Amino acid sequence: MLQPIEELQPAQLAAKFINLTSRHIFLTGKAGTGKTTFLRNLISLTHKKAVIVAPTGIAAINAAGVTIHSLFQLPFGTFLPRLAPTNTVAVYQHYHTPKSIIKHLNMNATKRRILLDLELLIIDEVSMLRADLLDAIDMVLRYIRKNNSSFGGVQVLFIGDLHQLPPVVKNDEWNLLSAFYKSAFFFDALVLEKDKPVYIELEKIYRQADETFINLLNNLRNNQVTEQDIALLKTYYKENYEPELTDNYITLTTHNNKADTLNKSSLNRLAGKSFLYHATIEKEFNESAYPAEKTLELKVGAQVMFIKNDPTGEQRFFNGKIAVVTKLSNDSIEVKTDGSKQNLIIEKYTWKNIKYTANKVNNEIEEEIAGTFTQFPLKLAWAITVHKSQGLTFDKAIVDIGDAFAPGQIYVALSRLRSLDGLILTSLISGKGIRQDQNVTYFARTKQQQEDLVVQIKKESDAFLKYSLLQSFNFTVLDNYVFEHVFSYTKDEKRSTKQTHLAWVVKLQQDLIALKVNADKFLKQIERLFIIGNTESLNLLLERTEAAVNYFNPQLEEMSNSIFELMEIVKTEKQTKEYLVELLAMEAMFYEQFKKIRKAKAMLAAANNGVELTKEEVLALYKSAKREEQIRTAYTLPNKKEFNPIEEDEFSKPKAMRKSKTSTLPKEDTKEITLALFKEGKTIAEIASERKMSVGTIEGHLAHFVAKQEVKAGDLIPAKKLDEITTAIGKLKSIRMNDIREHLGKSYAFGEIKIAIAAYLAEGN
């Protein structure tokens, strides 16, 4: 049985919010409270499809995720939610807008599939995340998922400590951004104005035990430094202190060049031979994300620091543990850690650069190793920058800081230590130098202002369960997808092999429409029977849901089987790779609906039984030997070669988004631009003139949105013509444009016929 929510600790509450609700969450906590541990546990247990991203390459490697820019295909630089007034932009300044990003969005089919199926986006090291970058993420997700909810309906977990390193914004960038944002911090992104995250703070500190030190750090963090705190820090001040090489102190400083100079000069002071250890780099691993030195230079007597926890689990060392090199050879390193009597022989460690991919069989998001970096997990440790010390723990440190520190850096530096006993300050700290950013202080108050977490989670979990049930039996997205696919059969049979299968796809569409009619009826039953706290009603709903699963899923399976069978026929025909990619994508949509139904039923059963659904249980729902065989067959061509849709994924994009043979940039020909101009009140002829395209092309763009019921056909062609064309379609029982035009006469343009066909299909005929 589930532990009563009232007894849960903050970390447990955060996990509940993730698994049982759709609310965005900000998970924070002082240094050493276990945010990284929480993230690792969450990924192994949550039943939601999740990916981890971080603002920088090194942060992404450390979090076992990918960078924000790589996952969302975002360019570097300033993002503005709309065009800036020209008088505010300097000649040399460049910025991105939603229109410019979409125009150059070059996303392959696998990445689109990941973003379409994503349920939980985890953003680590969120203190460095800029508000404009978060709005860019929101824009891409809404665009790809065709969903105008925040982040396209994806739940977001923000992890980080805002009292640590802030986002980096240059003055000229802020001149642009300040017209749209209150601050550069993520919490001031426009997407969060009406959809604020739940604020959860981890409070138990695992790094420090000394109450005096903990209180000092709390005051630093909360911008409440007292005169007593300043006096306490002064007792650790030693001007111009220079430790002996063997004192095991590490110096925390502000700049890379100062840390590098200290390390190099200290190594040079040691007598003896230098040994060089070269990293082994395989496949893809960006140089900016190297987690260790590409070439590590050491001497016996060198002070080093571990940059990983002991992978054996024996806790011989931890990330940030100081040691001294005792023995070196060409392929081995032996060290002695502070306080240990025994020497350790260090093994090399392999860091993984991961990419996310979609499992071919069950479409679940999986990690794929894109490259590796293998090196001894050590670095010279007489000095390190505060920035690179995040996440590390030291017993003894010389903190070389002053008034020039950015807000949060002094807190980061001091919080690396286990206790004040190991602290030496080489510059005095004034109250002014440790003042925190007022925007962060203001945002922290939202924790006290929000509704009680226990009350929130009870209310939100019920809403999420109901939403999941309704979504699983809502066939609208699948229905629209098939509508669009049917609409793509517009060529003559002699010119297109795909066109010969029109009758098949129309039959598939008709079967789906009939199934959707019954699904819509069941949605009303869910609304009627979902009564919070009414055990009898919820048990009855579970019975009805089980019956619905047994009714809908076999039919969805039959439709998937039909697509797989057609693929085997299409493989024997010429010039059909593009069509095969389309069929694979469509089958994935049917299978996703099948999975949603199974999972929602399992969620309802778990809730009724007072237990929580696990990742393992959800994956077990999708295990099928038959499907594994179907997928294996689908990806095998007649010549026994494996079909790789990623090589063909250009076909999965709109033609305007495909790469030119002579240019790496996509053409500026997207349906969305046409739609935007139409919504501005421009006529088809005006849009065609402005975009230097034919009227027929613009009519084709708008017909696409008629099929999706985003534009009314009556706004594009006269009502009389629309009626005559749709009547002809019904009479001929055909949506072939040549047949319809031959029947009606040449006074009917192909563009008009295409729009009428779209309207006919959109009405479910």
Side-chain angles (χ1 to χ4, degrees):
M1 293 293 288
L2 293 173
Q3 183 180 355
I5 294 177
E6 292 81 4
E7 299 175 8
L8 298 179
Q9 296 300 310
Q12 295 170 308
L13 269 177
K16 297 292 181 195
F17 264 104
I18 290 162
N19 286 327
L20 300 178
T21 84
S22 58
R23 284 292 301 276
H24 305 317
I25 299 142
F26 171 51
L27 181 71
T28 188
K30 307 173 183 70
T33 51
K35 296 184 293 294
T36 302
T37 302
F38 172 86
L39 175 55
R40 289 174 186 148
N41 291 339
L42 175 68
I43 286 297
S44 66
L45 295 174
T46 183
H47 60 78
K48 292 185 177 179
K49 295 181 185 178
V51 300
I52 304 169
V53 295
T56 66
I58 291 175
I61 294 294
N62 289 337
V66 298
T67 64
I68 289 169
H69 290 86
S70 67
L71 182 67
F72 295 101
Q73 298 287 284
L74 292 169
F76 289 97
T78 306
F79 172 80
L80 300 183
R82 57 186 179 274
L83 287 172
T86 52
N87 62 344
T88 66
V89 184
V91 176
Y92 62 88
Q93 282 185 290
H94 178 68
Y95 63 87
H96 307 286
T97 63
K99 183 176 177 179
S100 68
I101 288 178
I102 288 172
K103 182 173 120 179
H104 295 95
L105 198 62
N106 189 17
M107 195 171 285
N108 67 35
T110 299
K111 194 161 285 185
R112 282 174 176 262
R113 181 81 258 159
I114 289 167
L115 296 188
L116 280 170
D117 295 342
L118 185 63
E119 294 174 301
L120 174 64
L121 173 66
I122 302 168
I123 307 180
D124 198 23
E125 297 291 4
V126 78
S127 71
M128 296 185 284
L129 176 64
R130 279 175 31 169
D132 61 322
L133 182 56
L134 185 59
D135 278 335
I137 293 171
D138 169 60
M139 184 275 298
V140 170
L141 283 171
R142 292 185 196 221
Y143 172 74
I144 294 292
R145 294 166 66 91
K146 296 180 173 59
N147 182 331
N148 207 34
S149 303
S150 64
F151 303 104
V154 175
Q155 182 182 30
V156 183
L157 168 63
F158 304 96
I159 300 181
D161 184 355
L162 293 175
H163 296 278
Q164 297 196 21
L165 301 179
V168 177
V169 186
K170 298 173 184 174
N171 288 336
D172 59 346
E173 289 180 311
W174 184 243
N175 287 339
L176 290 175
L177 291 171
S178 60
F180 304 94
Y181 298 102
K182 295 175 185 175
S183 81
F185 288 96
F186 87 94
F187 51 76
D188 278 327
L190 303 183
V191 63
L192 296 181
E193 281 184 349
K194 295 181 180 178
D195 202 357
K196 298 188 183 303
V198 177
Y199 195 123
I200 300 178
E201 184 169 4
L202 304 180
E203 294 166 344
K204 181 174 174 57
I205 297 174
Y206 296 94
R207 183 175 291 143
Q208 293 92 14
D210 176 27
E211 283 300 320
T212 301
F213 191 23
I214 289 173
N215 289 335
L216 170 65
L217 291 175
N218 284 342
N219 290 345
L220 281 169
R221 190 172 184 273
N222 298 326
N223 198 23
Q224 296 173 343
V225 178
T226 65
E227 291 183 8
Q228 290 83 358
D229 293 327
I230 299 298
L232 175 62
L233 287 172
K234 282 182 179 177
T235 63
Y236 295 94
Y237 172 61
K238 293 184 181 180
E239 188 178 8
N240 299 321
Y241 180 81
E242 290 190 16
E244 295 295 325
L245 289 177
T246 55
D247 281 351
N248 293 342
Y249 274 97
I250 185 167
T251 297
L252 296 181
T253 187
T254 51
H255 299 94
N256 279 314
N257 57 1
K258 190 166 185 179
D260 291 341
T261 299
L262 272 168
N263 281 323
K264 193 165 186 179
S265 63
S266 297
L267 186 68
N268 290 338
R269 285 164 59 191
L270 289 176
K273 173 186 174 183
S274 280
F275 284 78
L276 301 178
Y277 301 93
H278 302 285
T280 303
I281 303 159
E282 296 183 355
K283 297 183 181 178
E284 299 176 37
F285 215 108
N286 195 301
E287 188 173 351
S288 64
Y290 286 174
E293 298 289 342
K294 185 177 180 182
T295 299
L296 177 64
E297 181 182 0
L298 295 177
K299 291 180 181 179
V300 172
Q303 181 168 296
V304 293
M305 175 180 72
F306 288 96
I307 52 178
K308 284 297 296 181
N309 292 332
D310 185 357
T312 67
E314 297 175 14
Q315 298 183 338
R316 299 170 300 166
F317 52 85
F318 54 82
N319 194 6
K321 179 72 173 174
I322 302 296
V324 175
V325 175
T326 54
K327 188 178 180 181
L328 295 171
S329 68
N330 290 332
D331 55 7
S332 70
I333 300 174
E334 191 173 294
V335 303
K336 185 176 183 181
T337 60
D338 189 24
S340 173
K341 295 180 180 179
Q342 295 182 331
N343 293 348
L344 292 176
I345 297 175
I346 308 305
E347 303 86 22
K348 286 187 175 181
Y349 182 82
T350 297
W351 285 266
K352 298 172 184 175
N353 174 29
I354 72 157
K355 283 186 175 180
Y356 289 106
T357 187
N359 181 291
K360 287 179 181 178
V361 176
N362 61 20
N363 288 349
E364 290 296 294
I365 297 171
E366 292 184 344
E367 293 178 4
E368 184 180 88
I369 299 174
T372 59
F373 182 100
T374 303
Q375 177 62 291
F376 289 102
L378 298 170
K379 68 182 298 179
L380 292 176
W382 285 287
I384 191 174
T385 62
V386 175
H387 183 90
K388 291 179 180 177
S389 75
Q390 283 202 135
L392 303 181
T393 303
F394 305 123
D395 292 315
K396 298 163 73 175
I398 299 166
V399 180
D400 177 20
I401 55 180
D403 291 350
F405 259 48
Q409 284 193 305
I410 291 174
Y411 169 73
V412 173
L414 295 182
S415 64
R416 301 305 94 202
L417 281 157
R418 288 187 183 276
S419 76
L420 285 167
D421 294 339
L423 173 64
I424 290 177
L425 293 173
T426 55
S427 55
L428 288 172
I429 303 173
S430 68
K432 180 182 177 182
I434 50 184
R435 191 161 292 135
Q436 299 296 331
D437 192 293
Q438 290 300 312
N439 291 292
V440 173
T441 303
Y442 177 78
F443 177 63
R445 292 179 192 151
T446 62
K447 180 187 174 186
Q448 282 73 42
Q449 296 165 355
Q450 69 184 359
E451 188 177 18
D452 179 79
L453 293 179
V454 172
V455 174
Q456 283 194 66
I457 199 168
K458 286 180 177 178
K459 184 166 61 179
E460 295 286 346
S461 60
D462 291 331
F464 177 64
L465 179 58
K466 183 178 180 180
Y467 172 81
S468 299
L469 273 171
L470 290 171
Q471 283 298 106
S472 67
F473 291 99
N474 186 338
F475 285 22
T476 301
V477 173
L478 178 60
D479 190 38
N480 286 342
Y481 190 94
V482 176
F483 269 145
E484 287 190 48
H485 180 74
V486 172
F487 185 68
S488 70
Y489 291 70
T490 56
K491 294 182 180 178
D492 188 275
E493 286 189 14
K494 293 178 182 178
R495 296 173 55 205
S496 169
T497 304
K498 171 182 173 180
Q499 201 67 27
T500 63
H501 300 292
L502 175 62
W504 170 86
V505 77
V506 169
K507 170 69 165 56
L508 180 72
Q509 182 196 20
Q510 289 170 344
D511 291 343
L512 179 61
I513 289 170
L515 194 62
K516 183 178 182 297
V517 170
N518 290 324
D520 289 344
K521 291 177 183 176
F522 186 62
L523 292 178
K524 294 176 182 176
Q525 287 191 45
I526 295 172
E527 291 280 7
R528 189 176 72 252
L529 292 173
F530 198 99
I531 303 172
I532 304 302
N534 188 321
T535 304
E536 184 179 345
S537 183
L538 291 177
N539 284 336
L540 178 58
L541 178 58
L542 179 57
E543 285 180 22
R544 296 285 174 84
T545 303
E546 288 172 343
V549 171
N550 293 333
Y551 173 78
F552 289 105
N553 271 359
Q555 295 189 64
L556 288 171
E557 277 189 289
E558 279 303 309
M559 293 176 192
S560 281
N561 291 341
S562 175
I563 300 172
F564 281 129
E565 288 165 7
L566 179 64
M567 284 187 67
E568 295 311 301
I569 296 170
V570 171
K571 284 182 198 175
T572 65
E573 299 168 335
K574 294 181 179 179
Q575 296 182 327
T576 55
K577 283 188 176 180
E578 179 177 348
Y579 189 33
L580 284 172
V581 171
E582 291 176 9
L583 292 174
L584 275 170
M586 185 163 66
E587 194 284 326
M589 294 293 291
F590 275 92
Y591 184 57
E592 279 304 306
Q593 195 76 48
F594 173 92
K595 285 166 59 183
K596 282 180 185 176
I597 289 174
R598 275 204 163 182
K599 182 176 177 180
K601 179 245 175 179
M603 288 173 64
L604 179 60
N608 282 12
N609 293 326
V611 295
E612 195 171 321
L613 202 60
T614 66
K615 184 175 188 174
E616 199 173 274
E617 289 168 339
V618 168
L619 291 177
L621 293 173
Y622 311 145
K623 195 160 183 64
S624 165
K626 178 185 175 183
R627 181 169 178 79
E628 288 178 16
E629 177 60 24
Q630 285 176 317
I631 290 293
R632 186 193 64 77
T633 303
Y635 280 83
T636 305
L637 293 173
N639 59 8
K640 303 300 180 185
K641 286 181 67 177
E642 185 176 353
F643 171 59
N644 184 1
I646 297 181
E647 292 175 356
E648 315 298 335
D649 60 24
E650 286 295 303
F651 296 127
S652 69
K653 305 170 191 171
K655 287 184 180 178
M657 299 296 290
R658 297 179 193 169
K659 291 180 182 178
S660 163
K661 292 182 180 178
T662 57
S663 171
T664 58
L665 291 176
K667 296 177 184 177
E668 188 185 346
D669 179 17
T670 60
K671 298 181 184 71
E672 286 74 17
I673 295 173
T674 295
L675 178 64
L677 292 171
F678 178 73
K679 287 183 175 179
E680 287 176 10
K682 296 186 178 180
T683 66
I684 290 175
E686 288 171 341
I687 297 170
S689 175
E690 180 174 331
R691 301 203 63 197
K692 296 180 174 59
M693 295 176 179
S694 69
V695 167
T697 299
I698 300 303
E699 287 174 330
H701 288 178
L702 294 173
H704 169 83
F705 294 105
V706 170
K708 294 175 65 182
Q709 296 183 312
E710 292 182 26
V711 171
K712 292 180 180 178
D715 293 338
L716 302 174
I717 57 176
K720 184 180 178 184
K721 274 195 171 183
L722 177 62
D723 183 57
E724 288 173 347
I725 298 170
T726 53
T727 300
I729 294 170
K731 184 177 180 180
L732 297 171
K733 293 184 170 55
S734 171
I735 59 172
R736 291 185 177 92
M737 289 198 293
N738 282 334
D739 293 350
I740 297 167
R741 192 171 192 234
E742 189 176 323
H743 175 79
L744 291 170
K746 293 185 179 179
S747 62
Y748 291 79
F750 279 115
E752 293 174 327
I753 295 172
K754 187 178 286 188
I755 290 167
I757 291 171
Y760 182 84
L761 294 174
E763 290 172 3
N765 294 298

